[in-house]
Amino acid sequence: MERKTFPGTLDSLADIRQVAKEEAQRVGLSKKAAYNLMLAIDEIATNIIVHGYEEAGRSGSVDVVTEVADGQLILTLEDDATPFDPLQRDLPGEETFTQPLEERPIGGMGIYLTINGIDEFRYEFVNNRNRNIFISRIGEK
Amino acid sequence: MSFQILAEAKKVAKITLIGEVDSLSAREFQKEIERLAVEQPDELVLFVENLTFISSAGLRVLIFAKQKMGTHLAVYMVKPQESVVETLEKTGLHHSINIVDQYL
């Protein structure tokens, strides 16, 4: 298990994505799966930084924990913001995405892309930290 | 003797995006859209051949552009990479954006 810590600011996003990209390549995920994992990580890290830290007037870090187990690449984002489960919000339904852009509600797209891009997404609050867990099966797709 | 006449009065805003659009760079992208919106363009053309990544923050700027520049606005994306097209398709934005190989 490896842990990398980044400041909870938007300019960390590129580095956080880079970790996801490197790990995905290391375990041999397809280009598509690697991109989708990078996108998922970016979306959740953005939420943590913007809503968990910036808008709440707090500062903190975002840890990226990497683990390979049971044929899975498991990346976990950990932060110290207020407990927030991204799965608790209402996901936009199919109808949202067929609406014309000008009538469309903004929001919900990020979590939608997260869940649809990887094999499994989980959230837990452990030891006073948010843990967003991204699971990609190795050797598929 | 044949006669031809070509006239064009439409206003076209052009933006080239290179690299990665995440929540940080999307703020720059949005500022550029706001600046161009003043001109009330009829078309927004995005040259994205070298755009390697776009998150939902970038997609929201596209929605913002449509809302800010008016519903008549035609948005073109020129030569997007496969992963970018997939994201547009997943979120249904491909219904509102013209994906083209070239813009003439």
Side-chain angles (χ1 to χ4, degrees), chain A residues 73-132:
Chain A
L73 170 63
I74 305 163
L75 291 184
T76 304
L77 290 181
E78 289 188 11
D79 66 83
D80 303 303
T82 305
F84 177 76
D85 180 355
L87 297 169
Q88 287 305 311
R89 72 170 291 164
D90 290 335
L91 277 180
E94 290 293 318
E95 69 285 357
T96 300
F97 296 119
T98 55
Q99 273 178 300
L101 289 195
E102 51 275 15
E103 290 167 20
R104 212 188 252 217
I106 287 185
M109 254 192 315
I111 184 66
Y112 179 84
L113 288 172
T114 301
I115 293 169
N116 280 275
I118 55 174
D119 291 312
E120 194 182 339
F121 175 76
R122 285 208 304 259
Y123 168 84
E124 59 190 30
F125 189 73
V126 177
N127 295 331
N128 282 319
R129 303 202 94 191
N130 289 296
R131 302 185 82 231
N132 289 279

Side-chain angles (χ1 to χ4, degrees), chain A:
Chain A
M1 199 187 293
E2 197 184 343
R3 178 182 298 268
K4 287 184 176 143
T5 302
F6 300 93
T9 54
L10 287 180
D11 39 18
S12 293
L13 286 175
D15 294 333
I16 292 171
R17 283 199 303 275
Q18 189 60 27
V19 174
K21 188 179 180 178
E22 282 169 10
E23 293 301 331
Q25 285 173 345
R26 198 169 59 84
V27 301
L29 292 193
S30 70
K31 206 177 151 200
K32 183 175 168 179
Y35 183 91
N36 287 335
L37 175 62
M38 225 169 53
L39 181 60
I41 290 271
D42 179 280
E43 296 293 349
I44 297 298
T46 293
N47 280 351
I48 294 166
I49 293 165
V50 173
H51 303 298
Y53 290 143
E54 279 186 357
E55 287 175 5
R58 298 168 69 146
S59 60
S61 60
V62 179
D63 289 1
V64 186
V65 182
T66 308
E67 196 181 349
V68 177
D70 302 327
Q72 295 176 324
L73 170 63
I74 305 163
L75 291 184
T76 304
L77 290 181
E78 289 188 11
D79 66 83
D80 303 303
T82 305
F84 177 76
D85 180 355
L87 297 169
Q88 287 305 311
R89 72 170 291 164
D90 290 335
L91 277 180
E94 290 293 318
E95 69 285 357
T96 300
F97 296 119
T98 55
Q99 273 178 300
L101 289 195
E102 51 275 15
E103 290 167 20
R104 212 188 252 217
I106 287 185
M109 254 192 315
I111 184 66
Y112 179 84
L113 288 172
T114 301
I115 293 169
N116 280 275
I118 55 174
D119 291 312
E120 194 182 339
F121 175 76
R122 285 208 304 259
Y123 168 84
E124 59 190 30
F125 189 73
V126 177
N127 295 331
N128 282 319
R129 303 202 94 191
N130 289 296
R131 302 185 82 231
N132 289 279
I133 305 162
F134 305 76
I135 300 172
S136 305
R137 281 193 282 276
I138 300 168
E140 287 185 25
K141 292 176 191 169

Side-chain angles (χ1 to χ4, degrees), chain A residues 10-11 13-14 17 32 35-36 38-39 42-43 46 50 54 97-110 112-113 116-117, chain B residues 20-24 27 52-57 59-60 62-64 66-67 71 75 82-84 86-87 90-93 95-97:
Chain A
L10 287 180
D11 39 18
L13 286 175
R17 283 199 303 275
K32 183 175 168 179
Y35 183 91
N36 287 335
M38 225 169 53
L39 181 60
D42 179 280
E43 296 293 349
T46 293
V50 173
E54 279 186 357
F97 296 119
T98 55
Q99 273 178 300
L101 289 195
E102 51 275 15
E103 290 167 20
R104 212 188 252 217
I106 287 185
M109 254 192 315
Y112 179 84
L113 288 172
N116 280 275
Chain B
E20 303 180 319
V21 177
D22 61 14
S23 306
L24 186 66
R27 291 177 179 178
T52 53
F53 178 84
I54 187 163
S55 71
S56 67
L59 302 182
R60 278 193 293 275
L62 297 176
I63 298 174
F64 171 81
K66 198 95 174 173
Q67 292 174 345
T71 53
V75 182
E82 198 184 327
S83 41
V84 172
E86 267 176 36
T87 307
K90 270 187 199 168
T91 51
L93 263 73
H95 294 303
S96 307
I97 290 169

